[in-house]
Every structure is written in C-alpha cells, then in structure tokens.
Amino acid sequence: MAMAIKKSELYSSLWRSCDELRGGMDASQYKDYVLTLLFVKYVSDKYAGKPNALLDIPEGGSFDDMIKLKGDKEIGDKINKLIRRLADANTSEGHEGLKGVIDQADFNDESKLGRGKDMQDRLTKLIAIFEGLDFRANRVEGDDLLGDAYEYLMRHFATESGKSKGQFYTPAEVSRVMAQVVGIGPDTRPAQSIYDPTCGSGSLLLKAASEAPRGITIYGQEMDNATWSLAKMNMILHGYPTAEIWRDNTLAAPYFKNPDDSLKTFDFAVANPPFSQKNWSNGVNTARDEYGRFEYGVPPAKNGDYAFLLHIIKSLKSTGKAAVILPHGVLFRGNAEADIRRNLVRRGLIKGIIGLPPNLFYGTGIPACIIVIDKENAHARKSIFMIDASRGFIKDGNKNRLRAQDIRKIVDVFNNTLRIPHYSRMVPLTEIEANDYNLNIPRYIDSSDPEDLHDLDAHLRGGIPQRDVDELHAYWEVFPSLCDTLFAPGDRHGYLMAQVEPRDLKRVIQDNADFQAYAGRVRDVFDAWQAAHKPTLYAITQGSQPNEIIHALADDLLERYADIPLLDGYDVYQRLMTYWAETMQDDLYLISAEGWVEAARPRPIIQDKEKKIQETPDLVIGRRKIKTDLIPPALIVARYFFTEQAELERLQTAADMVTSELESFIEEHSGEEGLLADATTDTDKVTKSSVRARIKELQQDNTTDDDEELVALRKCLMLSDVKAQADSIVKAAQSALDERTLAQYGKLTEDDIKSLVIEDKWLTALQTSINEEVGRVAQRLTARVTELEERYAEPVPNIEAEVKALSERVAGHLARMGLVLE
C-alpha cells in the first residue's frame, strides 16, 4: 500500500511547488494553468479505463499521456492538443461538456510561460509536481482530498491575486456560516435547489452544498469566462458533475428561467456579489424590467448592491431563503437605496443581519454584512434579528479570518435567536421605523467595551473604589473567599485597600481554595467528556469518517462547558478545533486511510525537491532519517523508557555543568591580560588546538611546570577533555535510547498504539490546553486587580509632595553650583 501523505503536507507542498514555478506571472493568471493540470490528473485517476464512466478519458487525452510530454520541445502546443482531445471527447452536440471549460489556459503562451527551453522546463516541472502524488492512497470515504487540494490552491491564489482579481473565491468560513443560517442541513433533500447568481469559482455553492449530506441540486451563473471554467471544474472535482453552471451576465441575461420567461425560483440562494458595481445596469431595462425584479425600487445607476439582492429575492420560492454578502453601506445609505430598504423591511423579507469583521474578503478590505432573506411567513415578521460579529476573528497574514468558534457562535446565536449583550438582539420593526429604517448595526447593538471610569476622590485621597471591586462580582460569586483575601475595608466608606502586592496576586489567586475547587470542577467536566467519547475513539478503524467524529466530539464539548461560569464555552470549543486542525485531523485521516498499525509505522523521511516536500526527521540514527507520523518518539520514551530518559537527563546535566565550568574559566582568563590571551585564535576563540599549540610553545621555551599560564592552559585542556568525554557519553546514551525507541515501534500492538495516541497524545494535549483556559481566568482577574491597585496606589497630594521635594533638591544642587532658577 502506498504511504498516505498528511493532508497538510500535501497541500503546502503543492502550493510551494506551484508558486515557485510561476516566476513573474500574476497568481490570477497562473492559477488557470495549475488548476487545469490538477483537474486532468483527477479525472484521469478517477475515470481512465473504466467502462460507463461519467467522463470519457480518450487515448492521448489522459494525465499519463501528459507525463510522456516531459522534456518535449513542443510541450506547450502538445499539452493544448491533449486537453482539447479530452474536452472534445466529453462534449456532444447540444450538450454542454468540457469544451470551453478546461481549454481556457493556453499552455503555449510564450508571454506567460517563457520561450523555448524556459517553457519546456517550467511545464515539465509542473507536470512532475502532480505526477508522483498518489491521491488514491489518501481516499477515505467522505474525504474529498483532491477537491480540497483544489480549494486550498484557489484560496492561496486569491490571497496572492491582489485587489482586483481575488473575488473568484469566498472564504470557506463565511460560506459555512451562510449555508447554516439559511437552514441547509441534514434534513435538506436532494430535490431542493440552491442558486448563486454570481458564483465565481463555485466555492460558496460547494461549501453550502456540503452542509446537505443527502445532497442538493446546484445552480449558478458567472459572467467571467475564466472564473466560470474554474467553477465547472470545481463542481466535478467535488463530486457535483451535474451542477448547472451557466456563463453570462446574471442581471442583463439571467439564464435560469421558466417556460413563460419568468425567473426560475429556488429553495435557497447564497451570493457574494461584486461590491458596489458601477456598471450593473448595462443591458438591464431598469424602467420596465421584464422579470419584475424592481417592484421594491430601482437601485442607483452606479451602485449595484441592491440590484443583486432584488434579483435574488425574485429568484426565491415563496418559502425560499437566502444569505447575501453585501457592504455595510446597504444598511444605511439614502435616496433610492433607502426607499428599497424601507420596502423590504415593511414586507418582512429581511430575517436577520450579521455584521462581519473587516478585511475578510479577497479584493476588498471594507467591512461587510450577511443579509438573511426569508420569504416564509414574511407577512407576519415583526422584527429583525441582528448580530454584531465584527470583533470575532484571527489575523491570518494580511487578511482576517473567522475561527471555528466564531462560525459556531454566529450560527448558534442566529438559529436560536439568542440575545447576548453587546453581540446580538431581536430588534422590533417599530424601533427600526423610529430610526427611519436605518439598519446600521451600531444603532441597535453597542459592541464597544464599557468605559472604564476613574474615581477622582480615590485619586485625591487614595483607596480602591468599592464600585470597581463590585463590578468583578462574577468572580466573587465563584470565589467567595477571594475578595476578602485581596481587599480590606479602607479608611472611609465606599473605598477599600489592597492586601496583596501586585507581584503576588496571581499566586494568591491560584492558591485560593475556591479557585482550586473551580479548577477541579473544570477538570471533572473534561474527565466526563473524555469518558463519554473514549469508546468512539477506540472504535476508530480503517474507513472511519473523521469529520463525523470531530463534529460529535466538538458539539458535546461545547454543550458541557456552556454553563461553566467565567469560561466561554466557545473558547474551549476553539481549543479542540485548533488541535484538530494542527494535529488530530491529520492523525485521523492517516488512521482512516491505513489503519492504526500501518499509520504508526516509522518510515524514511521524504526529501523531494521537485515537489517541495522537505520533511524534518523525528529520529536520526546514524545515516537513517526517520519520520514517525502518528506517534512522536517522546511518547514512546515517556511510556517505555522512563528510567533511561532520566539517566540521559542526569548525564546531560553533568555535561552541561562541565561545559559551564569550561566557559566560565575561559571567560575569566581570556582577554588581553588573561592567562589564555596567547591561546586565543584570530576569531577571538580559545580552542583545544590553540591551547595545545600554546602549551607546545611554552614547553619548547623550557617554561617551568608551575608557570601560571601553563597551569591555566593545562586546566583548560583538561576541562575540554572532560567536556568532550561527557558529550560523547551523552551522545552514546542518546543513540542507544533512539535505537531502543525505534525498535519499540515494531513491538507495539494495535491496543498499544491506540492507548499511546488516544490517551498520551490526544487527550493529554487537549486537557493541558483546556487547563490553560482556567489559567486565563486567573490572569484576567490578576490583570484587573493589578490595574486598580496601581491606578490608585499614590494619591495626587502624595505625588505633588514628592515632586515638590524633588524640585527643592534639584534647586539646592543648582544653588551650590552657583545657578539660581527664576
């Protein structure tokens, strides 16, 4: 069986390889070449030689045929012909196939790929990147590895494509939010439909469709020719070959229509239209739109935001639901847009508004929102649910990105209409009407931090205001004894004095009995959670579905921590999802692909310069460089070789002491006047060879044995020999331990492997991570109490007296120097 490479390594190596080869070409152009080759590789692997396959892979039109072109002087022209042959074989008269889809990129374009040998080498290397990747070794039921690789590359190309060319891709995190807030989920039926009128590369449609495990029927339209072809390929790669993706201007020439030429309607719609498009009305009869899209008003001629929203509303069934990304301006701009907004609100069509963080989207940094449209029971709608999620994100390079906890919180809060102060609330239409139908979220939700007011009397007379301490009541409810430990009554009513120095605060808080009980409670919740899910983890086998497992784990973890005071359950949820993304996901996919025993088997590291896979070895024994994908050597050592590791650490400590003694001795006696001055090299170092050379010089000069310099040199040499011997002993012990560790891998049973991975690796790492959340509770309280103590530590009169005394001292010094201040 081929060794499955970790998904994260596969994707990053693909990106590094492709990025290196593009030279000076813009990423928005280069993506067409890379993604086309990836597509040919995929369909060749999946369909070549199979009867009644969905796609026909003709002779001379497969990826294997492409491999034969490596090094060919006419490689560019021959790739074009090969791709054309594949496209023609899958296009019939009157049937839209691959023609015009996969043959968009010109592989013989010298202006982009170079001339002669440059083009030959670049395309040869590009083919080689995909040639050796055995995607089939990674196939797990429900895992779309190649489709995910395509998505990964598109996201990176979008990041690199600059302001004007990144709109073909909607961030997957936002797409997941949109799918879930419109109600796509396990109950969605295959016969139900989803539509995106500005579908770009199809990423938003696909992420929405992935929320419907039973399937959903996909429709999309895209104006840009190259981006449309990406969408067509993307649908096939992700297992939706029957998705209808049409190429044309949606507003001027909508493709999906009924026999009577009215717009076809859909169950769901998702869209990320181009923001504030200025030429949207070209080809559109705004005065008398034949599709009746402007019954609520005609958008401004130079701003198409509402044009797309109105088109989507018209394209929904009477119970249809949509989620549309639009710039914040649609919420409050005036004139024609204000009229449309008023009409939409009055008709009850807007179910909710979700304010997003700035700089999420490729091609623009401006903040945006998700408008959620719901036609079902619109006539009875008396309020709009609003969420201000603008502060929940993480920096990711030059963009912001929603974390797993941000996605989950938005979806949970929206779908359950939960009111959270400073985050979400249901806003009555009467309140919106009173604000003249301005929907700007800050009018209804104040997400800013409460103002931290200073107490003037405390600044003047000292003491910590009782009011500020009372505001920490959430902590005192959980740690009732702690408040009296930290504060005592002050010299006047309403003011307290600190009883613990700031430097000791964190220790005192963590040592408090109530805090210890709280930490134990948090551990108990984790223990109950892991006990509930250990049977599932131990039951994982080859062919298990990792995504189903993580969803069950994460859902239950969030539910169990939801009611723990002072902890945000979503922060705990993020701890699990971060560990999943960094480690656990790769582990589960390896186990699902290969089984426990094979996944745990050590292997030689992969060093493939052509594919940019440069793995770091986990064990180096002699010339052997070994990778241990599933079980790090440290876990083997900790469980089976504790005594040997302790002895190794003892030897290393002894060696470190000798090294420290040698370095101190050299530092003490080096320098121009030092006893080792003449043993210092040109690079200002004292070495064994330089010391020996100096000893030899002195002996040739018949220097006596009790000479100070000679004594120092011999001690330095002795310490150097002892250090070398100690280092050699450590090296031998380490080598012996590494050999025994490597041998132990071969002795592990499947039960041993499961225990090491589940208990020692996954659950231990997760418990440590969640315990850090308890540490954050202590840290937050420490920071606030420290701030209050330091703020009022010195009353203003004391500071003024100190300043006066210092000023008088300076004046006295100056007077003695004959200077008098005016």
Side-chain angles (χ1 to χ4, degrees), residues 93 220 266 279 316 422 464 496 511 598 623 631 665 734:
E93 190 173 344
F266 307 93
N279 61 346
L316 289 175
H422 309 294
I464 297 171
L496 304 172
D511 289 345
E598 195 65 33
R623 294 185 176 181
I631 304 175
F665 186 81
Q734 181 68 65

Side-chain angles (χ1 to χ4, degrees), residues 314-367:
K314 196 67 178 180
S315 301
L316 289 175
K317 293 179 179 178
S318 60
T319 58
K321 298 161 179 58
V324 187
I325 299 168
L326 291 170
H328 265 294
V330 301
L331 302 177
F332 53 79
R333 289 193 298 247
N335 302 319
E337 292 185 310
D339 295 335
I340 298 172
R341 188 168 58 244
R342 182 186 305 109
N343 289 327
L344 294 179
V345 172
R346 283 176 171 172
R347 299 290 181 93
L349 289 166
I350 301 177
K351 179 182 181 180
I353 300 168
I354 301 167
L356 296 172
N359 202 27
L360 284 182
F361 298 97
Y362 304 97
T364 179
I366 66 173

Side-chain angles (χ1 to χ4, degrees), residues 251-262:
L251 296 180
Y255 175 72
F256 299 107
K257 292 180 285 190
N258 296 313
D260 63 357
D261 268 355
S262 62

Side-chain angles (χ1 to χ4, degrees), residues 433-451:
E433 183 181 4
N435 278 295
D436 199 21
Y437 296 93
N438 185 316
L439 297 177
N440 198 21
I441 296 173
R443 281 182 176 252
Y444 306 98
I445 299 173
D446 179 9
S447 64
S448 61
D449 292 323
E451 189 176 356

